[in-house]
Amino acid sequence: DGGITQSPKYLFRKEGQNVTLSCEQNLNHDAMYWYRQDPGQGLRLIYYSQIVNDFQKGDIAEGYSVSREKKESFPLTVTSAQKNPTAFYLCASSKMTGNQPQHFGDGTRLSIL
Amino acid sequence: GESVGLHLPTLSVQEGDNSIINCAYSNSASDYFIWYKQESGKGPQFIIDIRSNMDKRQGQRVTVLLNKTVKHLSLQIAATQPGDSAVYFCAENGGSNYKLTFGKGTLLTVNP
């Protein structure tokens, strides 16, 4: 089945630790996105990538980093500089040809130990 | 800045009734809108989209209405079922070809 796979489903971070969230898609989509969702809130854009080896900051990029070495993969690193990392992280992808819906994975819930 | 918002944070309906979820947007550059459904612990699931050259679009049991004059978007769900219980988000593109801005969501609860 085509889709977006996020792993792990649950992740715990210690103080001062960097953690990396995985996102893989087999939809052959060019664009990929990372969002953060806090309880009772909408989705806020962290980073997005329109093409391999290129990415742009979203609205809340501070304390996060990404890479896009392969079309299928867009990992997100939550660094120790992100002081409030507890949230639900969602990865999405879409075609780049005109307005197309973004398709989401089932998220990673990150908590602080 | 401009943002997408929702009129009602919660909506409770009886099974079999029709549901209407509303969304206001303020970015006049937006020309593409999407509705998503999110169940607890899962990612948002695409329901239906509409472009600004249309004012109505129908899917299976769902209809999206777009009123560009008052910048209002609505999602109608016919014969609401318990499986429709979820949070519903609207999103707008702000004139972009790929970026979306999401509203905060409406929690729909369907009572048997």
Side-chain angles (χ1 to χ4, degrees), chain A residues 85-101:
Chain A
T86 298
F88 192 46
Y89 291 87
L90 288 158
C91 179
S93 70
S94 71
K95 297 179 182 178
M96 281 296 295
T97 53
N99 286 304
Q100 298 288 336

Side-chain angles (χ1 to χ4, degrees), chain A residues 33 37 48 99 101-102 105-106, chain B residues 32 36 38 43 51 93 96 98:
Chain A
Y33 313 81
Q37 186 176 32
Y48 64 99
N99 286 304
Q102 294 180 16
D106 274 340
Chain B
Y32 179 63
Y36 286 93
Q38 186 178 26
R51 289 172 171 75
N93 72 337
S96 167
Y98 49 89

Side-chain angles (χ1 to χ4, degrees), chain A residues 47-110:
Chain A
Y47 267 98
Y48 64 99
S49 169
Q50 297 172 255
I51 196 169
V52 175
N53 293 322
D54 185 53
F55 47 83
Q56 287 80 40
K57 293 181 179 179
D59 301 319
I60 55 165
E62 186 174 351
Y64 301 97
S65 65
V66 293
S67 63
R68 187 86 187 275
E69 298 177 1
K70 298 187 299 181
K71 186 176 184 178
E72 302 80 17
S73 179
F74 191 41
L76 173 74
T77 296
V78 183
T79 74
S80 57
Q82 172 50 245
K83 298 307 179 187
N84 184 24
T86 298
F88 192 46
Y89 291 87
L90 288 158
C91 179
S93 70
S94 71
K95 297 179 182 178
M96 281 296 295
T97 53
N99 286 304
Q100 298 288 336
Q102 294 180 16
H103 298 272
F104 286 83
D106 274 340
T108 292
R109 189 167 300 279
L110 176 62

Side-chain angles (χ1 to χ4, degrees), chain B residues 13-24:
Chain B
V13 300
Q14 291 300 121
E15 182 177 358
D17 287 353
N18 296 334
S19 302
I20 300 176
I21 301 171
N22 296 304
C23 180

Side-chain angles (χ1 to χ4, degrees), chain B residues 19-82:
Chain B
S19 302
I20 300 176
I21 301 171
N22 296 304
C23 180
Y25 67 95
S26 57
N27 191 336
S28 57
S30 291
D31 57 8
Y32 179 63
F33 305 87
I34 305 178
W35 281 100
Y36 286 93
K37 171 186 179 183
Q38 186 178 26
E39 297 177 63
S40 182
K42 294 191 174 182
Q45 176 186 0
F46 170 77
I47 302 173
I48 192 167
D49 58 3
I50 188 167
R51 289 172 171 75
S52 59
N53 61 350
M54 304 172 69
D55 53 20
K56 180 180 179 179
R57 191 168 187 218
Q58 289 183 291
Q60 187 175 13
R61 280 202 306 120
V62 296
T63 300
V64 55
L65 298 178
L66 175 62
N67 185 329
K68 294 179 288 293
T69 302
V70 296
K71 296 187 178 68
H72 185 266
L73 189 70
S74 69
L75 177 70
Q76 301 178 4
I77 304 173
T80 314
Q81 302 168 1

